[in-house]
């Protein structure tokens, strides 16, 4: 039984990503959307935390939100998979439930 | 009177509460959703983690801030057949709180057990 | 334009559906005046429900769902009263809506 966890807040402002990661299992996935996408870019102070998280769980980032913020020119953190809106829908259907960490 | 839920399928709903009361409207909205949803005879649980545990703190007194003290409504949930209130032990402990500080009987779960609880649900609603 | 009712020479603000704006304005006369407007005479049975609603609201800060109200009245007065029929006979406009209004509570969020 797996859950798609959606996080939409930047960890520089809110702790929801950390709160999410501390409570999910290796079969669960995390999709970063909206302001949360900033942390999927290499070079932030959270990069090493996310690298180790990516080793244990599936991490995704929504490309349209990356592009909207002008961050598409930066490499993503190792272990992240980029998805478009179709990929977002596919993730929703592949998991048993969705948990949006508001 | 109340109509039977036409879908007829009972699903398991969990409402996850992560915010303290009063500062934002999330906690009140969650509670109102639970109370309205209770009319549909579904299997409902609530889980309180992070600052959400403050929602259940006893002795809240909101007269001076002129807000409704909706924490009292948590004690009515039993009458709405919402009997499963889970609280994460670590969230309480990090905030210097214990089960004795809460206004209702709850079931404590460990952080590592939250995933198992969520895995049993059909629908997750987060506030 | 604001709405109001007159109770014992006092003007009390209501919303457009006749619910009291301020819970604290309530006194028994409010229920009598509201019932008169609806052409309804309040009996002891009506007052049982009004008093129950006020106590419930005081205790839990919410109006009970009809299901909860029905169960509670049945517990208090006997099983034969714990049904929708009895409450609807007392409050034909819908027990939750009409009785909550007379009790000075906010309009319930449910459907009856």
């Amino acid at each position: 039984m797996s859950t798609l966890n959606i996080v939409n807040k930047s960890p520089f402002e809110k702790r929801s990503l950390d709160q999410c990661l501390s409570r999910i299992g290796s079969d669960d996935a995390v999709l970063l959307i909206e302001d949360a996408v900033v942390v999927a870019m290499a070079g932030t102070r959270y990069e090493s935390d996310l690298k180790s998280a990516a080793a244990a769980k599936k991490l995704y980032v929504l490309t349209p939100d990356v592009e909207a913020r002008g961050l598409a020119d930066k490499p993503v953190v190792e272990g992240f998979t980029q998805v478009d809106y179709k990929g977002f829908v596919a993730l929703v259907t592949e998991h048993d439930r969705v948990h949006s960490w508001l | 009177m109340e109509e039977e839920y036409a879908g007829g399928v009972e699903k398991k709903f969990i409402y996850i509460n992560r915010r303290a009361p009063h500062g934002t409207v999330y906690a009140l909205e969650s509670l109102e959703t639970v109370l309205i949803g209770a009319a549909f005879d579904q299997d409902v649980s609530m889980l309180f983690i992070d600052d959400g545990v403050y929602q259940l703190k006893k002795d809240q007194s909101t007269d001076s801030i002129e807000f409704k003290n909706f924490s009292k409504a948590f004690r009515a949930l039993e009458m709405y057949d919402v009997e499963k209130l889970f609280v994460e032990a670590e969230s309480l402990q990090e905030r210097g709180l214990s089960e004795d500080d809460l206004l209702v009987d709850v079931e404590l779960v460990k952080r590592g057990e939250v995933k198992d609880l969520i895995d049993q649900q059909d629908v997750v609603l987060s506030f | 334009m604001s709405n109001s009712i007159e109770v014992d020479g006092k003007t009390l603000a209501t919303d457009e559906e006749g619910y009291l704006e301020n819970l604290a304005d309530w006194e028994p006369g409010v229920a009598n005046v509201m019932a008169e407007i609806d052409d309804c005479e309040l009996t002891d049975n009506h007052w049982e429900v009004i008093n129950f609603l006020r106590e419930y609201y005081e205790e839990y800060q919410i109006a009970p769902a009809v299901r909860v109200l029905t169960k509670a009245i049945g517990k208090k007065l006997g099983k034969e009263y714990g049904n929708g029929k009895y409450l609807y006979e007392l409050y034909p406009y819908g027990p939750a809506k009409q009785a909550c209004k007379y009790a000075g509570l906010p309009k319930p969020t449910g459907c009856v």
Side-chain angles (χ1 to χ4, degrees):
Chain A
M1 294 294 273
S2 64
T3 304
L4 174 64
N5 294 274
I6 300 177
V7 175
N8 73 342
K9 298 290 190 297
S10 158
F12 292 100
E13 189 201 349
K14 302 263 183 189
R15 299 199 53 242
S16 50
L17 177 58
D18 194 32
Q19 291 167 341
C20 164
L21 289 172
S22 68
R23 295 183 179 98
I24 64 173
S26 55
D27 58 338
D28 296 322
V30 180
L31 169 63
L32 303 184
I33 65 167
E34 300 168 11
D35 288 347
V37 302
V38 301
V39 81
M41 303 300 106
T44 75
R45 58 177 280 209
Y46 296 105
E47 183 171 354
S48 62
D49 294 348
L50 282 169
K51 258 191 197 161
S52 39
K57 293 144 186 146
K58 284 159 287 177
L59 304 186
Y60 301 87
V61 59
L62 189 65
T63 305
D65 283 330
V66 175
E67 291 169 347
R69 286 159 181 78
L71 294 169
D73 58 345
K74 307 256 183 239
V76 294
V77 174
E78 210 182 302
F80 263 94
T81 305
Q82 301 209 45
V83 293
D84 56 12
Y85 288 121
K86 269 192 181 161
F88 188 164
V89 174
L91 284 175
V92 171
T93 60
E94 287 160 13
H95 292 83
D96 297 304
R97 68 192 72 71
V98 174
H99 179 184
S100 286
W101 295 70
L102 294 180
Chain B
M1 292 305 289
E2 283 172 9
E3 287 171 34
E4 291 294 316
Y5 176 53
V9 184
E10 188 181 296
K11 286 197 170 190
K12 290 181 70 117
F13 286 73
I14 192 160
Y15 291 77
I16 302 185
N17 300 278
R18 294 173 36 241
R19 287 192 165 78
H22 314 311
T24 59
V25 82
Y26 289 95
L28 177 59
E29 291 284 321
S30 170
L31 184 59
E32 290 195 334
T33 311
V34 168
L35 290 169
I36 291 167
F40 293 93
D41 287 332
Q42 302 294 299
D43 181 316
V44 175
S45 327
M46 295 184 84
L47 167 65
F48 298 84
I49 59 178
D50 300 325
D51 281 352
V53 301
Y54 287 119
Q55 294 177 30
L56 298 180
K57 177 71 182 64
K58 66 182 177 194
D59 297 331
Q60 294 178 43
S61 170
T62 55
D63 290 353
S64 301
I65 62 168
E66 296 187 6
F67 282 2
K68 184 157 111 168
N69 182 7
F70 60 85
S71 71
K72 290 182 171 185
F74 286 113
R75 288 189 285 115
L77 286 174
E78 237 187 317
M79 286 174 259
Y80 290 76
D81 299 319
V82 179
E83 286 160 357
K84 286 171 286 185
L85 303 181
F86 298 98
V87 172
E88 190 191 68
E90 287 88 339
S91 296
L92 277 180
Q93 199 184 1
E94 286 165 2
R95 287 161 181 77
L97 298 173
S98 74
E99 215 177 339
D100 295 336
D101 290 305
L102 306 182
L103 51 79
V104 278
D105 289 336
V106 301
E107 191 173 324
L108 292 183
V109 292
K110 295 206 180 75
R111 187 157 293 170
E113 295 166 342
V114 169
K115 177 187 162 47
D116 298 335
L117 181 60
I118 290 173
D119 277 355
Q120 297 162 23
Q121 310 298 322
D122 295 306
V123 181
V124 178
L125 295 157
S126 184
F127 288 87
Chain C
M1 211 191 83
S2 63
N3 301 281
S4 61
I5 53 165
E6 296 286 326
V7 180
D8 289 338
K10 280 173 284 190
T11 307
L12 307 177
T14 65
D15 68 8
E16 55 199 11
E17 289 176 89
Y19 291 82
L20 275 193
E21 288 284 2
N22 304 308
L23 192 66
D25 283 346
W26 192 86
E27 52 183 277
V30 169
N32 289 321
V33 170
M34 286 179 174
E36 234 167 79
I37 295 169
D38 291 341
D39 215 7
C40 163
E41 200 183 324
L42 294 184
T43 63
D44 288 350
N45 294 344
H46 289 91
W47 280 105
E48 286 273 4
V49 178
I50 292 173
N51 291 333
F52 172 80
L53 287 172
R54 289 195 58 83
E55 284 161 23
Y56 190 94
Y57 194 87
E58 172 65 28
E59 175 90 8
Y60 301 114
Q61 297 292 298
I62 51 171
V66 177
R67 178 163 58 107
V68 174
L69 173 66
T70 316
K71 224 191 271 175
I73 293 292
K75 223 177 187 177
K76 204 165 180 178
L77 303 181
K79 245 192 177 151
E80 62 272 35
Y81 299 100
N83 56 63
K85 187 169 171 285
Y86 171 72
L87 287 169
Y88 264 95
E89 276 165 8
L90 288 178
Y91 292 104
Y93 296 104
K97 275 187 183 158
Q98 194 181 0
C100 279
K101 185 156 100 174
Y102 294 179
L105 306 189
K107 190 183 168 191
T109 42
C111 32
V112 281

